[in-house]
Amino acid sequence: MNDYKIIFAGPVGSGKTTAINTLSDKAPVYTNQSASDMTWMRKSKTTVAMDYGTMVLDGVEKIHLYGTPG
Ligand SMILES: Nc1nc2c(ncn2[C@@H]2O[C@H](COP(=O)(O)OP(=O)(O)OP(=O)(O)O)[C@@H](O)[C@H]2O)c(=O)[nH]1
Ligand SMILES: [Mg+2]
């Protein structure tokens, strides 16, 4: 199986966690916690470590999906 990696990076609220939740075949590793900085004014939860999910394409290509904190 070929392995590939995609890293989603971008500012708070750009949809990194939402994208990985949508794409991942299995329940993703999810590190949303209550925001205690200025993020709170935009949304209640924010990624504090890394998101991680996987997709398998045609049974031969595995895509590892990583999401950074904003
Ligand atoms: N309109 C619209 N809203 C979206 C879409 N995708 C995500 N959102 C919304 O945009 C916000 C994105 O939130 P997250 O996915 O937590 O964003 P994030 O980039 O992971 O943010 P941090 O982890 O805080 O850096 C949520 O309120 C989503 O419901 C989209 O395709 N269209
Ligand atoms: Mg996030």
Side-chain angles (χ1 to χ4, degrees):
M1 184 176 287
N2 295 320
D3 287 272
Y4 299 95
K5 295 176 182 175
I6 297 175
I7 299 177
F8 293 83
V12 165
S14 57
K16 305 175 295 293
T17 297
T18 304
I20 291 171
N21 276 335
T22 303
L23 292 170
S24 184
D25 295 334
K26 298 178 186 168
V29 175
Y30 183 67
T31 63
N32 265 7
Q33 295 293 328
S34 297
S36 57
D37 61 2
M38 71 286 268
T39 303
W40 181 85
M41 288 182 273
R42 297 193 52 178
K43 59 198 188 82
S44 60
K45 299 258 182 178
T46 190
T47 300
V48 297
M50 293 285 282
D51 297 320
Y52 173 72
T54 56
M55 296 165 70
V56 175
L57 304 181
D58 288 337
V60 293
E61 294 185 326
K62 188 167 188 178
I63 316 291
H64 302 264
L65 307 163
Y66 298 88
T68 66

